[in-house]
Amino acid sequence: MALFRSKQDVFSEDLASQIGESQTLGVQLRRMARRNKLAVASAVFLALLTLAAIFVPILSPYDPVIGDASIRLKPPSAAHWLGTDEMGRDVLTRLLYGARISLAVGVVPTLISMILGVALGVVAGYVGGMTDYILMRLADVMLAFPSLLLAMVIMYTLGGGVLNIFLALALVGWASVARVARSETISLKESEYVQAAKSIGVSGGRIIRRHILPNCLPALIVLFTLNIPSAILSESSLSFLGAGVQLPNSSWGLMVNMGRQFLYNAPWISLAPSAAIMLVVLACNFLGDGLRDALDPHLNNE
Amino acid sequence: MSTLKSIVRRILSAIPVLIGVVLIIYLILHILPGNAILTMMGEHAREEVVQQLSADLGLDKPWYVQFWMYVSGLFTGNMGTSIKYHKPVSELIATYFPVTIKLSVLAALVAWAVGIVCGVVSAMRKDKLADRIGMGFSLLGVSVPVFMTAMVLQYLLAYKLKWFPIQGTKEGFVCYILPAIALGWSSAGSVARLTRSTLLEVMESDYIDTARAKGRSVPGAVVFHALRNAMIPVVTVMAIQISSLLSGAVITETIFSLPGIGRLCVDAISGRDVPLLQGSVIFATALVIAGNLVADCLYSVLDPRIRKEG
């Protein structure tokens, strides 16, 4: 593989398209890094934000909860880059603390819904028959709901809080993953190497683990990066409506909700977290698009 | 004939989905051991009153009997009585529904207009600056949270410039313009992307070459020949958008204080009004299912290839 990297672009791309599916993930990712600068910049941005969220107690001199009443509702300045809120707290500091929950809400429920969706989708696609029919009708039903409304109903039953958001968003998200996993499985099931494995008596579980799952992986990675932004947007909408993260915890959506009443005299309080959501969602979308271009075998040949 | 048959079959296949929707919402909302009567009457209600009311409302029966009562009620348009407003849920939905419809239709128009224009411009100027701007603008719409667009529009155009009313529906049509832009922009992205990619695909086909050979200009070929076929997948994606439009309507209606279905759901949650929440979510989901059905049928009418396969 390393040989192709040292050749000229045209040549290596030609070869790369010839070897098609035998490319390793690493090679595909490196090719994306070379072609798609925006995706790389997005990945760097997300990594930096994550680090900043982890190390904010060291990075920021301000407290996220206790404010200074003498500096209430101050516009952005050198000391407070994004201004202060109604209790005299530094908005940037709160933003970075809020990033912990908002980023976690992007990743954790997406991961749970991926695991759930892949398990059900692969089983439905591989087993077929009645199992497939029932699981897919269930997916149809889940996909019929406007996602925010379903999440609101689940949150109503479970009550607010971060863990319940994880659960609610995972329950809302698995169906679309299951559909993708199912269709990938069905197409892989017909492939010659799976048929060959079957004919020499390899068990169904082993075929799924050794042949189907690894080959679904590229599609699932893309889906994962593209589902993160929708989870972040869902959480922020839920928290914005007051049905999500509860005080004293803070997420970006809740910050927007709290700052909304000061929209006219201190717009930075709610606009800063809104902009943060926008940037993270944009970065995830760019990264997801880049990954799709690099990993999707259907697009590789174009 | 075959079109009619496939339409009937699609309508029939939507029924089990609808029943599943009702069942799932019902189960989620009734898993809680919480007592609806206590919510209605307050914590200090007398024991015999609670029991009498439970019997009257059928709450002392097992959940599947209650579920059956609820579903058979749905067939006659009876969705129970709102705890908060003391009115039939169906009556409340009928009052609030027109606002959501106006908002969603206007937002869909915004999404179509922005999405199709961006998509066509991007496709015709592929890989040029206009393509980047068109795609960037629509991607931004998908990425900006609806509440941010709504608040920025409200702050700048309604509060600062006073061009539009800040909230409510008193002034009629103008009240819907800002919410519709905020909501529509978020759906424009997928329309734009799909318009661009299908248009690029269609422009490669033989009949476009024929049209060009007969002397049609490129814009002429796009408008008179390509767009019609490129719109077929776009129609389908618009149906999927109904679902996200309704999700977004919850937020825009809250910000602009529009009395619609989304607002009703938020009220129902804050008022712990289970019958109202159940009714409005089921109604909204039924709308999505109906929208998908219409799109499916339109799809088979618009595309002769699917019509034949039936």
Side-chain angles (χ1 to χ4, degrees), chain A residues 204-277:
Chain A
R206 192 172 157 85
I207 290 179
I208 288 177
R209 255 178 309 157
R210 294 287 307 217
H211 299 291
I212 303 219
L213 283 181
N215 283 302
C216 286
L217 203 60
L220 295 176
I221 290 176
V222 174
L223 200 62
F224 182 66
T225 30
L226 292 177
N227 280 352
I228 288 177
S230 61
I232 291 179
L233 285 175
S234 302
E235 180 276 325
S236 63
S237 302
L238 281 174
S239 298
F240 177 78
L241 293 169
V245 174
Q246 306 290 317
L247 291 171
N249 281 326
S250 185
S251 74
W252 291 343
L254 191 62
M255 284 177 74
V256 179
N257 184 13
M258 295 282 138
R260 215 184 118 207
Q261 46 187 315
F262 304 99
L263 182 65
Y264 299 135
N265 40 17
W268 54 87
I269 301 176
S270 49
L271 289 186
S274 302
I277 296 168

Side-chain angles (χ1 to χ4, degrees), chain B residues 23-46:
Chain B
L23 181 63
I24 284 187
I25 284 297
Y26 195 87
L27 285 181
I28 295 175
L29 286 174
H30 295 264
I31 282 172
L32 271 192
N35 192 328
I37 306 291
L38 287 183
T39 320
M40 271 165 79
M41 307 287 297
E43 293 289 325
H44 306 293
R46 286 217 315 275

